[in-house]
Amino acid sequence: MDIETAANFGEMLGGLAILFTLLFGIRQIKQWNETLKINSARDVASHISSQQIQYAIVVLVNEIKDDVTFEEYANMSRKDKDAINALIIGLNTHGILVAKGILALELVALFYQQFTIGLSKRLRKLHEIMMQNAKDKIGSKHISEIQPLEHMIWLLDKIDEMPVISPPK
């Protein structure tokens, strides 16, 4: 084998090595994205299956009415309010992650839609109460500037717009 043929052969092997490296890299990226989705789903599932969030859902169903007043909310036990706060802040956090494209809306809706169908109005009313309380404590100018918990409302709107997700048959 002459030197030119050997150089061409070496160049071909180098090209194949680069091609296999690219294919392996694409496979790794695809696998990493899949792992990210699985971990995101696990995080949402872990949040919604926690005792405090389950307790908040029970409180929303049994204790809070659609037209709950500020006084009724203020008179709730600290445990009830803490659970409700955890649910609302969790929904807001998931709303932020969906809005930024980190979580898929379909994934979050899969976990929350079964609850938001009947409880969305109560969650929105609690949002109003919490915003009024924050305005009273912090000042309306500051609250208007930062708009706390608005991602929860955005997420509820998006989930409400989606068709009802049915379980597999």
Side-chain angles (χ1 to χ4, degrees):
M1 179 182 307
D2 65 356
I3 195 108
E4 189 176 324
T5 306
N8 288 338
F9 186 69
E11 201 172 303
M12 182 185 71
L13 287 178
L16 284 174
I18 291 170
L19 179 65
F20 285 125
T21 303
L22 285 172
L23 291 173
F24 181 74
I26 290 169
R27 183 181 163 273
Q28 289 295 93
I29 290 170
K30 192 174 179 181
Q31 191 172 24
W32 180 76
N33 284 335
E34 198 62 36
T35 302
L36 188 63
K37 286 179 188 177
I38 291 167
N39 289 339
S40 297
R42 190 176 295 128
D43 290 345
V44 175
S46 176
H47 172 74
I48 205 160
S49 65
S50 72
Q51 274 190 316
Q52 190 173 36
I53 300 306
Q54 289 178 8
Y55 182 76
I57 292 168
V58 169
V59 170
L60 275 173
V61 170
N62 295 321
E63 303 294 326
I64 295 178
K65 299 182 291 279
D66 286 347
D67 58 349
V68 63
T69 64
F70 183 83
E71 292 76 25
E72 290 170 333
Y73 182 75
N75 290 332
M76 292 175 68
S77 73
R78 182 77 258 156
K79 180 182 177 184
D80 292 355
K81 287 191 265 189
D82 287 346
I84 294 295
N85 289 344
L87 175 62
I88 287 176
I89 290 170
L91 272 166
N92 193 65
T93 301
H94 291 135
I96 291 168
L97 295 173
V98 169
K100 296 299 179 186
I102 297 168
L103 276 176
L105 175 62
E106 294 77 20
L107 173 74
V108 175
L110 188 62
F111 286 99
Y112 281 111
Q113 191 181 56
Q114 57 193 323
F115 304 111
T116 61
I117 286 174
L119 301 175
S120 183
K121 188 173 182 181
R122 294 174 190 187
L123 288 166
R124 291 169 192 277
K125 183 65 177 174
L126 287 169
H127 175 265
E128 288 175 25
I129 289 170
M130 289 178 172
M131 291 307 94
Q132 186 57 49
N133 186 43
K135 285 178 183 177
D136 293 347
K137 303 267 191 229
I138 299 170
S140 63
K141 180 182 181 226
H142 296 295
I143 296 302
S144 297
E145 288 173 359
I146 60 173
Q147 298 180 345
L149 304 176
E150 285 300 312
H151 282 90
M152 178 191 83
I153 298 299
W154 177 84
L155 181 62
L156 290 173
D157 289 342
K158 292 296 181 189
I159 291 173
D160 288 348
E161 291 170 4
M162 292 182 70
V164 176
I165 299 171
S166 58
K169 296 186 189 277

